[in-house]
Amino acid sequence: SSTIKNIEQKTIDTDELTPDQEISNTRTRGTVLKIIAILADMADLPGEPYTAFNMMEAHADLKGLKIPSKTPVADWLTKARDSN
């Protein structure tokens, strides 16, 4: 039906949300970004977010873990880096 089509068209893929869209509460987003920054530092990830993603993807593949798509991960890493 047309109602179902409208609902399907309005569905947002959460893998493509930016950090600001994903967590609208500023305090909570700030906390998450600090945690990401600390974990990235612990893992010795480089500051360049796409290179960091490639390293994370390789690790996830080795461990059999699922990783979100490249752009959202890079966005979160960039925001975390820039907020600390």
Side-chain angles (χ1 to χ4, degrees):
S1 87
S2 65
T3 304
I4 292 174
K5 268 192 174 175
N6 286 341
I7 292 170
E8 288 173 352
Q9 288 173 348
K10 291 181 182 180
T11 301
I12 297 172
D13 182 0
T14 56
D15 277 351
E16 300 304 322
L17 292 177
T18 67
D20 293 337
Q21 293 169 320
E22 182 73 30
I23 302 175
S24 58
N25 181 290
T26 305
R27 178 176 282 165
T28 302
R29 185 174 55 253
T31 299
V32 170
L33 291 171
K34 286 177 185 172
I35 292 168
I36 292 169
I38 291 166
L39 292 171
D41 183 69
M42 288 172 62
D44 289 324
L45 293 177
E48 202 290 310
Y50 289 97
T51 303
F53 171 83
N54 291 337
M55 292 173 67
M56 292 173 65
E57 184 178 46
H59 178 81
D61 287 347
L62 283 173
K63 298 289 186 168
L65 302 171
K66 185 178 179 208
I67 187 168
S69 61
K70 185 178 277 197
T71 300
V73 172
D75 287 348
W76 278 99
L77 290 169
T78 299
K79 274 279 212 194
R81 178 196 66 207
D82 294 348
S83 68
N84 284 302

